[in-house]
Amino acid sequence: MNERAPRGLHCLVTGATGYIGGRLVPDLLAAGHRVRCLARDPGRLRDQPWRDRVEAATGDVTRPETLDGAFDGVDVAYYLIHSLGTGTDFEATDRRAARAFARAAARAGVGRIVYLSGLLPAGVPETGLSPHLRSRAEVGRELRAAGVPTAELRAAVIIGSGSASFEMLRYLTERLPAMVTPRWVNTRIQPIAVRDVLRYLVAAAELPPEVDRVFDIGGPEVLTYRLMMQRYARAAGLPPRLIVPVPVLTPALSSHWVGLVTPVPGPLARPLVESLRHEVVCHEHDIAHWIPDPPQGLTGFDRALELALRRIREAKVTTRWSSASLPGAPSDPLPTDPDWAGGSLYQDLRERRVAADPAALWQVVEGVGGENGWYSLPFAWALRGTLDRLAGGVGLRRGRRDPDRLRVGDALDFWRVEEIEPGRLLRLRAEMRLPGLAWLELRVGPDGAGGALYRQRALFHPHGLAGHVYWWSVAPFHSLVFDAMARNITDRARRAGPHP
């Protein structure tokens, strides 16, 4: 292992914009380690509260030639990424990415890799596993094959505010007082609190070099999904749920059902559901030999629910499952950037002056989406979200991470915050299913007469004939929706109080 630095180990973290990675970074810093974050676009780390305390390296695990410099001087490398939901070839993508990562770590003399994986069912051959779990196991083998000591931590359902598993459990229970469910609600599961996952990940950095193996990690209880829903209902102050399992709901059908009822889109829900077909219970607790349980014991399921619900009530959800960009999401530059490649570009531009303080107007702009909606024709937005979900997209149900503040990289319904300049600019990139690339840009500034100027621009770069047909087919609706949006945003700012 590289010589240990005075301030602790030097840790490389992948997936720092994701759910686990975004929480691991501050925990590593709190433990006295130095952190370097590997990201395809380090700019997405800009608004993280810990950004000025970490290094950032540009690299993409699917492009091996970008990785070598990122590992220089690194003691421990965390692998927290996967290609879940990218399509039928995601297993091959995961395999290539893990191989490139491990080989780059070996060349740089990294002393340890730490990988968060999925808990596997006992007695089930690998060919009988869901593609998601099969890929997770294969990634672990690829990481170990390079010769770097690797700690692979395998967890089942992770319970914490904002996790995909928790959101699925939460919305199924809250929205369906009575439900006909698939048989997997009776599958035994060993959930684990996200705080315990993070404790294991941080401590794994200091495992001795001879430790090169898989560990099962789980909480202190084994429950069925049905019991988890009933316990959630009790924790949330809801009446007991009526749950009737039936044998006809396959994982594929179940994933559509989950996608319609919860914010978790079908492409992500399906691997989660498929992973619950088999019992996922820890086969051993060997990790306690190197990382002992805390004096008060591992976090129980009810306590994990209580902590997650408290963070939601207090609007302190630091990361969510949607924190990471969707695999395959567009990454082309905004058409006004100097390196724009050209081609057709459609735009809808609206400007309005308002007798209001620009700060009041900005407050309305930054509050867009989530519970506040989009300030125009709610039915039209809801219909667009439903159509997107039916097409396999994310729809409108991702909501917001924080009800008042946005930061670069935040998911915002079916948009992603691409740029934000507080008080001046909010630029959103579409992540709905479209035959092209789309942005929505909201600008605020003084109008030169003591009031505020609101400028709203929707841009669309079509892909092929389908893109052009799409734009012209929805143009009449855009005229209604975007005009009402600009009018209602400025009206709300005006009602907030007189300008200075």
Side-chain angles (χ1 to χ4, degrees), residues 2-277:
N2 295 320
E3 184 179 352
R4 182 164 179 169
R7 292 184 54 214
L9 298 169
H10 197 181
C11 301
L12 178 72
V13 177
T14 60
T17 59
Y19 176 70
I20 292 293
R23 299 186 183 210
L24 176 63
V25 168
D27 283 8
L28 288 171
L29 293 170
H33 302 308
R34 291 181 295 147
V35 176
R36 178 184 298 156
C37 297
L38 178 69
R40 286 174 297 180
D41 178 12
R44 288 199 55 216
L45 302 172
R46 188 191 71 196
D47 292 337
Q48 295 289 349
W50 37 260
R51 175 61 184 91
D52 60 352
R53 301 169 59 200
V54 305
E55 305 170 65
T58 302
D60 183 346
V61 292
T62 63
R63 297 171 56 209
E65 69 276 9
T66 68
L67 295 180
D68 282 337
F71 289 84
D72 290 348
V74 167
D75 300 301
V76 182
Y78 284 88
Y79 196 80
L80 303 173
I81 51 181
H82 55 76
S83 302
L84 195 62
T86 58
T88 55
D89 62 344
F90 80 92
E91 292 179 81
T93 302
D94 274 343
R95 185 186 314 118
R96 291 193 302 269
R99 186 178 301 157
F101 181 89
R103 290 177 177 178
R107 288 193 298 270
V110 171
R112 169 160 303 285
I113 293 173
V114 181
Y115 166 49
L116 181 60
S117 182
L119 190 59
L120 302 183
V124 178
E126 195 160 301
T127 54
L129 295 175
S130 69
H132 164 54
L133 285 181
R134 187 169 61 238
S135 179
R136 289 296 183 94
E138 186 177 22
V139 164
R141 287 197 300 273
E142 290 289 348
L143 294 174
R144 291 190 294 275
V148 179
T150 299
E152 179 179 345
L153 308 182
R154 291 180 172 175
V157 171
I158 296 176
I159 301 298
S161 59
S163 78
S165 296
F166 176 76
E167 295 283 278
M168 190 170 113
L169 173 69
R170 174 190 174 197
Y171 282 92
L172 284 176
T173 308
E174 289 186 354
R175 292 180 172 172
L176 298 175
M179 63 193 97
V180 175
T181 60
R183 287 180 295 181
W184 52 257
V185 296
N186 289 324
T187 300
R188 296 172 74 239
I189 305 162
Q190 191 163 353
I192 182 170
V194 68
R195 59 169 44 196
D196 287 333
V197 173
L198 293 168
R199 188 179 66 87
Y200 283 132
L201 287 171
V202 172
E206 301 192 72
L207 289 171
E210 66 270 16
V211 178
D212 181 22
R213 55 164 290 182
V214 171
F215 293 100
D216 290 351
I217 60 172
E221 299 175 81
V222 175
L223 307 166
T224 65
Y225 206 88
R226 180 208 293 246
L227 186 54
M228 287 167 60
M229 286 193 286
Q230 297 292 18
R231 297 264 287 268
Y232 178 91
R234 185 175 65 192
L238 303 171
R241 276 21 203 165
L242 177 61
I243 302 170
V244 182
V246 295
V248 295
L249 286 176
T250 64
L253 288 174
S254 297
S255 66
H256 290 300
W257 168 61
V258 171
L260 288 172
V261 174
T262 80
V264 182
L268 180 57
R270 179 159 186 169
L272 294 176
V273 168
E274 286 180 332
S275 301
L276 298 175
R277 288 185 301 169

Side-chain angles (χ1 to χ4, degrees), residues 211-475:
V211 178
D212 181 22
R213 55 164 290 182
V214 171
F215 293 100
D216 290 351
I217 60 172
E221 299 175 81
V222 175
L223 307 166
T224 65
Y225 206 88
R226 180 208 293 246
L227 186 54
M228 287 167 60
M229 286 193 286
Q230 297 292 18
R231 297 264 287 268
Y232 178 91
R234 185 175 65 192
L238 303 171
R241 276 21 203 165
L242 177 61
I243 302 170
V244 182
V246 295
V248 295
L249 286 176
T250 64
L253 288 174
S254 297
S255 66
H256 290 300
W257 168 61
V258 171
L260 288 172
V261 174
T262 80
V264 182
L268 180 57
R270 179 159 186 169
L272 294 176
V273 168
E274 286 180 332
S275 301
L276 298 175
R277 288 185 301 169
H278 305 291
E279 182 177 283
V280 277
V281 174
C282 294
H283 318 314
E284 42 80 14
H285 189 50
D286 295 351
I287 197 167
H289 176 74
W290 288 276
I291 306 174
D293 293 348
Q296 71 276 17
L298 296 170
T299 309
F301 181 73
D302 291 337
R303 175 61 175 161
L305 291 178
E306 176 190 339
L307 292 169
L309 289 170
R310 181 189 303 168
R311 281 188 171 268
I312 292 169
R313 286 194 299 268
E314 296 175 354
K316 293 181 179 178
V317 181
T318 54
T319 63
R320 300 177 67 218
W321 62 270
S322 56
S323 297
S325 292
L326 289 177
S331 56
D332 290 354
L334 185 73
T336 50
D337 289 349
D339 54 349
W340 173 245
S344 300
L345 179 67
Y346 297 110
Q347 66 175 321
D348 181 286
L349 179 63
R350 313 277 165 172
E351 285 189 358
R352 294 181 70 93
R353 298 177 184 273
V354 55
D357 185 347
L361 178 57
W362 174 255
Q363 187 174 11
V364 178
V365 167
E366 193 175 10
V368 72
E371 295 296 323
N372 288 332
W374 292 86
Y375 303 127
S376 69
L377 304 179
F379 174 77
W381 286 95
L383 177 61
R384 184 64 184 87
T386 299
L387 292 175
D388 188 56
R389 292 182 76 83
L390 291 175
V394 295
L396 281 176
R397 291 182 178 168
R398 290 191 301 185
R400 299 173 52 114
R401 177 192 58 82
D402 184 288
D404 302 311
R405 296 288 178 264
L406 295 172
R407 65 190 185 200
V408 169
D410 273 359
L412 184 59
D413 292 329
F414 48 38
W415 305 90
R416 175 82 54 184
V417 179
E418 182 176 80
E419 182 58 76
I420 185 167
E421 299 175 16
R424 296 184 60 247
L425 168 68
L426 174 62
R427 182 184 300 139
L428 308 175
R429 182 191 295 273
E431 290 189 341
M432 77 250 335
R433 296 296 179 95
L434 289 170
L437 307 176
W439 294 263
L440 179 61
E441 191 175 79
L442 313 179
R443 289 182 179 271
V444 173
D447 68 353
L453 176 65
Y454 174 71
R455 191 170 188 265
Q456 174 182 296
R457 188 169 61 139
L459 300 106
F460 183 67
H461 176 61
H463 286 172
L465 178 61
H468 293 278
V469 172
Y470 170 81
W471 175 264
W472 288 111
S473 65
V474 300

